[in-house]
Amino acid sequence: DAAMYHAKHNGKNQYSIYRSDDKVLEINRQIEAEMEPALENGEFIVYLQPVLNMISSGLVGAEARVRWAHPEAGIRKPDVFLPIFEKTGFISKLDMYIFEEVCRIKSTWKNRKYEHITVSVNMSRLHLYSKDFPKELVRIANKYDIPTSELEIEMKESVFLKDSNELINMIDILQAYGFKISIDDFGSGFSSFNLLKDLNANTIKINKDFFFDAFNSINGKKVLKSIIAMCMDLKMNVVADGIEAKDQIEFVTRCGCLTGQGSYYAKPLPMKEFCEFADEY
């Protein structure tokens, strides 16, 4: 089991050998034992990564990221625990907790300059099979008096290839309630351009690894330019994820992509630092 998840975490389509002195299995079991108490104790913390207009450098949104503030191990990043949460199904509880935290945080921004920016929250494919999922999101948004139009529901590209019919139906329902929809990690290896004609998503987020690889070759830049043009023709907003340098900004903006996020601007920030960033930008 440990070997399988190690192989998956490293990109799939490969093998991994389990060794008896490997601590991965022990760590995974510990995470499984601690995850429910951690949720009850409020150990999961929302970080926000700024999303900016790359022409004006103005803040236009943010993406919610989760960190686990473990009392002994310190801050755990999501790649340590999310694969385990996906396996156990606990990810569904965490998703809803993070969504509610985002709404609670936005409710504290009343009368601030960035009060109405859109915040996106990634959701697991498991929610596609719950008919109560959209109504529960609306209930939480209403509880904190947050307009649904300021909340973006994000799903990874791999989800809509495995569950395309369910996803298309769910997108229609969520948009009827006013939520924005984004497809995350586009170009991560599962791309199906044919499905784009059926998806009524508001935003396509280009996978940061794909973006980096494409930017560093002539043919890759042509593909990137074509993807941006196609999404614009389909009236979809395009976000370049993983912006690290000014020449990347110059290229994608020339292609028509005006929105980006990445370490060039800011990494995911704890709330105090995000608010300072937001006040400035």
Side-chain angles (χ1 to χ4, degrees):
D1 197 52
M4 178 180 68
Y5 283 97
H6 184 263
K8 282 187 174 183
H9 175 66
N10 287 336
K12 303 184 180 182
N13 295 323
Q14 59 180 277
Y15 63 84
S16 180
I17 298 171
Y18 175 75
R19 294 177 175 82
S20 59
D21 61 348
D22 194 341
K23 296 295 183 184
V24 172
L25 186 58
E26 182 183 336
I27 292 169
N28 288 357
R29 284 176 174 165
Q30 182 182 355
I31 287 173
E32 286 189 37
E34 293 175 341
M35 59 191 186
E36 291 280 2
L39 187 63
E40 293 172 8
N41 296 334
E43 293 176 17
F44 295 105
I45 299 172
V46 172
Y47 277 42
L48 292 178
Q49 183 169 30
V51 178
L52 288 91
N53 179 302
M54 293 184 288
I55 301 297
S56 66
S57 293
L59 184 73
V60 294
E63 179 180 351
R65 303 286 182 88
V66 62
R67 298 290 185 268
W68 184 347
H70 191 276
E72 296 175 5
I75 297 294
R76 286 175 171 168
K77 291 189 176 181
D79 57 354
V80 173
F81 54 84
L82 286 188
I84 300 166
F85 292 178
E86 288 276 1
K87 181 188 76 168
T88 61
F90 179 74
I91 190 69
S92 297
K93 287 185 180 180
L94 181 62
D95 284 348
M96 300 309 289
Y97 175 82
I98 295 300
F99 181 82
E100 181 155 359
E101 274 294 283
V102 165
C103 291
R104 183 191 64 77
I105 289 165
K106 277 184 68 67
S107 71
T108 68
W109 292 349
K110 298 294 183 185
N111 300 319
R112 295 192 181 185
K113 292 180 288 184
Y114 49 89
E115 174 185 355
H116 297 296
I117 65 167
T118 299
V119 179
S120 62
V121 182
N122 206 295
M123 291 288 174
S124 164
R125 61 189 290 271
L126 298 178
H127 298 291
L128 298 180
Y129 303 102
S130 170
K131 64 181 188 331
D132 296 325
F133 173 59
K135 290 182 180 179
E136 181 62 12
L137 294 181
V138 172
R139 183 193 69 78
I140 294 170
N142 289 342
K143 176 181 175 181
Y144 294 93
D145 195 27
I146 304 299
T148 55
S149 59
E150 295 178 13
L151 298 164
E152 187 171 71
I153 307 304
E154 218 172 72
M155 292 189 182
K156 293 189 180 298
E157 180 200 63
S158 54
V159 172
F160 71 79
L161 282 184
K162 293 176 183 175
D163 305 287
S164 57
N165 292 332
E166 290 85 353
L167 182 60
I168 290 168
N169 182 52
M170 183 61 76
I171 285 176
D172 290 341
I173 295 170
L174 289 169
Q175 286 185 325
Y177 281 115
F179 294 103
K180 295 175 182 175
I181 303 295
S182 69
I183 304 302
D184 193 21
D185 269 355
F186 190 83
S188 58
F190 300 95
S191 298
S192 176
F193 297 110
N194 187 49
L195 265 178
L196 285 180
K197 66 180 172 52
D198 300 316
L199 284 173
N200 191 29
N202 303 94
T203 301
I204 296 293
K205 281 194 172 182
I206 299 175
N207 173 266
K208 58 184 178 182
D209 292 329
F210 171 76
F211 172 74
F212 183 79
D213 290 342
F215 181 77
N216 287 298
S217 74
I218 294 174
N219 286 341
K221 285 184 175 180
K222 290 178 180 177
V223 170
L224 201 54
K225 185 176 181 179
S226 297
I227 289 173
I228 293 169
M230 178 178 61
C231 290
M232 290 176 65
D233 284 344
L234 293 170
K235 310 301 181 187
M236 294 178 180
N237 181 38
V238 184
V239 177
D241 194 2
I243 295 289
E244 297 178 351
K246 192 167 185 178
D247 57 344
Q248 294 174 338
I249 295 172
E250 291 169 351
F251 173 73
V252 292
T253 52
R254 283 200 307 270
C255 294
C257 173
L258 304 182
T259 313
Q261 66 186 86
S263 59
Y264 180 84
Y265 296 111
K267 294 180 178 180
L269 301 171
M271 209 49 54
K272 183 175 181 294
E273 291 179 30
F274 176 81
C275 291
E276 291 171 354
F277 183 97
D279 277 325
E280 183 177 352
Y281 287 92

